[in-house]
Each structure stands twice: as C-alpha cells, then as structure tokens.
C-alpha cells in the first residue's frame, strides 16, 4: 500500500537503526572511552564552578548567550527546511519528473516520492523541537547563573548548589542541541534515498562513520581530554 520495495524498506530500517545506535553510543555506552560530548559536559561543570568565584559574571552570561543564539539559528533553519519540504510536496508531479530526468535520479512513483519527503519533513520537525527546547533551557541556565550568590556568599554551600544546578541545566540543554544537530547530519544521509536505496545505505553509513570518528577518535576529542 505504501509503494515501498523491499530494498527501500530495508534501507529505511537501516537508517533508523544507524541513527539510534549512534545516539546510544554517544549518550549511554562509550565503550570505555569518554567521547567529545561527555568530555565537554565535564568542562561545563568546571565552568560553573569557576563562575561562582568570579567577581563579575559578564563573561558567563555572554558565553551562555552565544549558546542560546546557536540554538535559535538552527531552530530557524529547521523551520526553513520544513517549509522547503512542504513546498516540494505541493509540487510532487513536477519534482518527480525533474528527478527522473537526472542520470542518477531514482524518484520512483509519486507516492514513494511523497513518502520520502514526509520522512525528511519529520526529521526536520524533530530537529526544530530539539533546538527550540535547547534555546529555552539555555535561557533557564542564564536565570540560574543570575540566581547564584555572589560577593561574600560566593563560596558558600548555597552558591555551590546553585552552580551544580546551572551546570546540570546547561548540560541538558546541550544534549538537546546535540540531538538536533544529529538530526541535521543524518538528514544528509537521508537525502541519499532520493538517489535510490543503495545510495541511501551508503550515505547513512558514511554519516555514521564520520560522526563516530569525530566523537571518539578526532583531534578535537584529544584536545579536551
């Protein structure tokens, strides 16, 4: 009924499995290694500890604002991508003709084209919600930074507890931001489906390999550990 071939169904299942496996490797299991994301979470904690003893917290609020602006930018980009997908859905017949005319095109039927676009739209909608929530959590983190005692009380137990809360909030916000970016990266692999299921599998594998290397075997990871 969905006009999917067996190979198309396999390629899509492979895509979902690759995305889920990478998320599990980064967020739950690291194979005895500390990934780049986990390493930066340690530095977020260190950042908030340093924040408590600084007499002026303008630097801290500026850093948090930069993180917030990044979330805002990607949230806006996600909405633009959703709009583009909906626009292509509205012109499915013409889009199928154009893709079929390409030497590497593999649009299939109109129904299959619409299924592919619907899936891509869902990916960008998911990314928008992640970036939007990250933006809100970074805003909450700024409030927690402002609520942290200063002056003679900046070394008190209350200040340490507030710094711990701020670090935790910032780490959670970063986790949602990273999930949104992960959706963007895997969307690049998803685009391979428009050239056929074989390209879909190859592109998904390439995205997985690149992200895994950068997370666990990159120079940036070596720089922070």
């Amino acid at each position: 009924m969905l006009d999917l071939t067996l190979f198309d169904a396999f390629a899509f299942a492979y895509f979902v499995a690759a995305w889920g496996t990478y998320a599990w490797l980064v967020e739950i299991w690291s194979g005895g290694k500390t990934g780049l994301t986990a390493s930066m979470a340690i530095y977020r904690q260190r950042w908030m500890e340093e924040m408590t003893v600084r007499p002026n917290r303008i630097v801290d609020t500026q850093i948090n604002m930069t993180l917030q602006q990044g979330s805002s930018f990607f949230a806006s980009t996600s909405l633009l991508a959703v709009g583009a997908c909906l626009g292509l859905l509205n012109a499915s017949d013409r889009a199928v003709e154009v893709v079929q005319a390409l030497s590497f095109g593999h649009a299939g039927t109109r129904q299959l084209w619409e299924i592919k676009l619907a899936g891509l739209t869902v990916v960008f909608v998911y990314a928008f919600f992640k970036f939007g929530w990250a933006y809100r959590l970074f805003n909450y983190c700024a409030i927690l930074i402002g609520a942290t005692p200063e002056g003679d009380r900046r070394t008190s137990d209350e200040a340490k507890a507030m710094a711990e809360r701020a670090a935790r909030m910032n780490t959670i916000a970063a986790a949602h931001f990273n999930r949104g970016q992960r959706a963007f990266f895997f969307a690049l692999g998803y685009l391979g489906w428009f050239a056929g299921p074989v390209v879909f599998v190859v592109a998904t594998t390439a995205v997985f390999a690149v992200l895994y290397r950068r997370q666990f075997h990159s120079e940036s990871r070596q720089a922070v550990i």
Side-chain angles (χ1 to χ4, degrees), residues 6-16 193 196-198 200-201 204:
L6 184 61
F7 203 1
D8 280 314
F10 168 79
F12 180 75
Y14 179 83
F15 170 79
V16 174
W193 199 6
V198 175
F200 189 15
V201 170
T204 300

Side-chain angles (χ1 to χ4, degrees), residues 8-145:
D8 280 314
F10 168 79
F12 180 75
Y14 179 83
F15 170 79
V16 174
W19 188 345
T21 300
Y22 179 76
W24 178 70
L25 287 172
V26 172
E27 298 184 10
I28 300 176
W29 181 87
S30 60
K33 296 181 179 179
T34 301
L36 181 58
T37 299
S39 297
M40 291 309 301
I42 297 173
Y43 282 100
R44 292 176 194 276
Q45 179 68 40
R46 176 69 180 276
W47 167 25
M48 294 305 168
E49 291 173 357
E50 291 294 323
M51 177 269 295
T52 59
V53 297
R54 264 195 281 269
N56 192 318
R57 294 172 184 169
I58 294 177
V59 172
D60 304 297
T61 55
Q62 286 293 332
I63 294 173
N64 193 77
M65 186 181 298
T66 300
L67 297 174
Q68 197 172 19
Q69 289 173 346
S71 300
S72 175
F73 170 79
F74 279 104
S76 301
T77 304
S78 301
L79 283 181
L80 292 175
V82 170
C85 290
L86 294 178
L88 286 173
L89 277 173
N90 191 44
S92 294
D93 291 331
R94 178 57 180 161
V96 170
E97 292 177 4
V98 171
V99 174
Q100 292 288 31
L102 299 175
S103 59
F104 57 86
H106 190 275
T109 65
R110 171 174 176 169
Q111 185 184 42
L112 181 58
W113 169 265
E114 290 176 346
I115 290 172
K116 293 176 181 179
L117 273 179
L120 188 60
T121 303
V122 169
V123 171
F124 286 123
V125 169
Y126 169 84
F128 169 75
F129 275 102
K130 287 299 177 182
F131 288 128
W133 187 238
Y135 180 89
R136 188 170 184 177
L137 293 183
F138 281 128
N139 183 57
Y140 291 161
C141 182
I143 294 172
L144 291 175
I145 291 174

Side-chain angles (χ1 to χ4, degrees), residues 14 18 22 25-26 36-37 181-182 184-186 188-189 201-221:
Y14 179 83
Y22 179 76
L25 287 172
V26 172
L36 181 58
T37 299
Q181 277 204 322
R182 190 179 305 147
F184 266 42
F185 290 137
F186 274 96
L188 296 176
V201 170
V202 172
T204 300
T205 303
V207 169
F208 183 95
V210 170
L211 292 180
Y212 183 85
R213 186 192 66 80
R214 290 180 176 179
Q215 185 68 222
F216 296 104
H217 301 285
S218 63
E219 292 181 358
S220 54
R221 173 182 174 272

